């Protein structure tokens, strides 16, 4: 779906192209030096929706000069998956590991995320990766959270002292966004299901982030005139014509008449998320090389725990 030519839209595509171009340069240099970056994707079960994500990741990785391998596990136990992940952790050819979601109900996703070595956690989902954000180590943050903050920076707003409200406090989106923005000097309020008046908080925000999974939750009367609105929601909705379409957590048509900037859905945060994943891959590669050099004195191969 093509978007109207409207300067209020914060499109993720152009930003993603810039990031992928920079990653491609870094990947070419690393490959020439004998350290080709490689991503391994783990898919558990048979989920058609996952195939779309994997194809997109593979295509963007190819553009960036990063090798991409998919490993499928049609049926397995959590223990078997953990063993496979530990094998990838020990493989010096593997830079990063991606666990595709959803996984079957009997597989605890947090256990799998914790099994990925922090140096290969390109999704930024390991507890250590999220915890590092608290200490202002921001270069390996969860991809969706980092993409959302990246789009806010595209507005040119000075983040120091900026009044920011986040609606949604998940461990991989809302909370990391809060810490990322606090590290930039913003004043951050996080709303959740026990917040007494989400609208009252939202109306005073210079920048409003929304990630709750409720279609069109945020209306125009909940947005401060001139604000930047970052819509992270992805919801399927049946339109008046009976056709299914993807909409965000923000009522875009009404809110864009009030806001100065707004991310479209689709076309906003989504396209940028994979680019951040690829950028994280190069950060992970740099850290792995630095560890090996510190441990062995020279860099003649890439290894973690060798």
């Amino acid at each position: 779906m093509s978007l109207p030519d409207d300067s209020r839209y914060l499109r993720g595509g152009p930003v993603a192209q810039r990031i992928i171009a920079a990653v491609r340069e870094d990947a070419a240099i690393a490959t020439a030096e004998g350290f080709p970056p490689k991503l391994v994707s783990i898919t558990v079960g048979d989920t058609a929706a996952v195939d779309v994500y994997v194809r997109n990741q593979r295509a963007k990785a190819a553009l960036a000069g990063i090798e991409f391998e998919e490993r499928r596990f049609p049926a397995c136990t959590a223990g078997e998956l953990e063993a496979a992940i530990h094998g990838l952790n020990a493989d010096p050819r593997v830079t990063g590991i991606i666990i595709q979601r959803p996984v079957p109900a009997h597989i605890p996703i947090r256990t799998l995320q914790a099994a990925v070595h922090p140096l290969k956690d390109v999704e930024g989902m390991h507890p250590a990766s999220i915890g590092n954000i608290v200490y202002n180590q921001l270069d390996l943050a969860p991809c969706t959270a980092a993409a959302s903050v990246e789009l806010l920076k595209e507005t040119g707003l000075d983040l120091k002292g900026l009044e920011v409200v986040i609606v949604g406090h998940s461990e991989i989106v809302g909370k990391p966004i809060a810490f990322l923005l606090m590290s930039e000097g913003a004043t951050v309020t996080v709303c959740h299901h026990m917040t007494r008046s989400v609208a009252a908080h939202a109306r005073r925000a210079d920048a409003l982030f929304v990630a709750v999974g409720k279609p069109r939750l945020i209306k125009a009367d909940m947005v401060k005139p001139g604000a930047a609105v970052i819509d992270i929601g992805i919801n399927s909705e049946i339109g008046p014509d009976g056709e299914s379409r993807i909409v965000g957590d923000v009522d875009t048509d009404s809110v864009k008449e009030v806001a100065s900037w707004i991310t479209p859905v689709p076309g906003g945060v989504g396209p940028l998320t994979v680019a951040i994943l690829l950028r994280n891959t190069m950060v992970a590669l740099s850290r792995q090389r630095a560890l090996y050099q510190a441990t062995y004195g020279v860099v003649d191969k890439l290894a973690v725990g060798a």
Side-chain angles (χ1 to χ4, degrees), residues 3-28:
L3 292 168
D5 185 13
D6 192 326
S7 61
R8 288 169 294 188
Y9 282 131
L10 286 170
R11 294 172 171 84
V15 186
Q17 289 175 5
R18 294 202 306 267
I19 291 175
I20 290 174
V23 169
R24 184 166 57 244
E25 292 182 7
D26 292 342

Side-chain angles (χ1 to χ4, degrees), residues 142-266:
C143 299
T144 301
S148 303
V149 173
E150 195 79 27
L151 281 176
L152 177 61
K153 291 180 179 179
E154 284 294 301
T155 65
L157 291 170
D158 185 358
L159 301 188
K160 295 180 178 63
L162 196 72
E163 191 78 26
V164 177
V165 172
I166 302 166
V167 182
H169 73 314
S170 72
E171 288 79 6
I172 61 174
V173 180
K175 289 176 183 176
I177 288 174
F179 283 111
L180 288 170
L181 288 171
M182 283 190 287
S183 73
E184 300 278 1
T187 300
V188 180
T189 299
V190 179
C191 299
H192 44 75
H193 64 284
M194 289 183 284
T195 301
R196 291 177 181 172
S197 177
V198 171
H201 290 288
R203 276 193 290 266
R204 61 178 172 76
D206 299 316
L208 178 64
F209 291 76
V210 192
V212 291
K214 294 185 178 180
R216 305 180 192 277
L217 172 69
I218 302 298
K219 308 295 185 184
D221 62 355
M222 299 171 68
V223 175
K224 178 180 178 180
V229 179
I230 312 296
D231 186 356
I232 309 163
I234 300 177
N235 310 283
S236 181
E237 180 182 78
I238 304 298
D241 55 2
E243 296 292 324
S244 177
R245 56 187 175 185
I246 300 299
V247 300
D249 291 348
V250 175
D251 184 20
T252 303
D253 289 341
S254 66
V255 170
K256 73 177 183 179
E257 301 304 321
V258 179
S260 288
W261 301 273
I262 187 169
T263 55
V265 177

Side-chain angles (χ1 to χ4, degrees), residues 135-150:
Y135 295 98
N136 288 342
Q137 296 179 27
L138 312 176
D139 55 354
L140 208 56
C143 299
T144 301
S148 303
V149 173
E150 195 79 27

Side-chain angles (χ1 to χ4, degrees), residues 94-127:
V94 176
T95 309
I97 302 167
I98 311 165
I99 300 172
Q100 304 294 344
R101 290 174 295 277
V103 299
H106 70 282
I107 304 290
I109 184 64
R110 290 187 182 181
T111 299
L112 298 184
Q113 290 167 344
V116 176
H117 194 290
L119 287 176
K120 298 194 176 187
D121 175 35
V122 293
E123 293 186 284
M125 299 292 194
H126 191 282

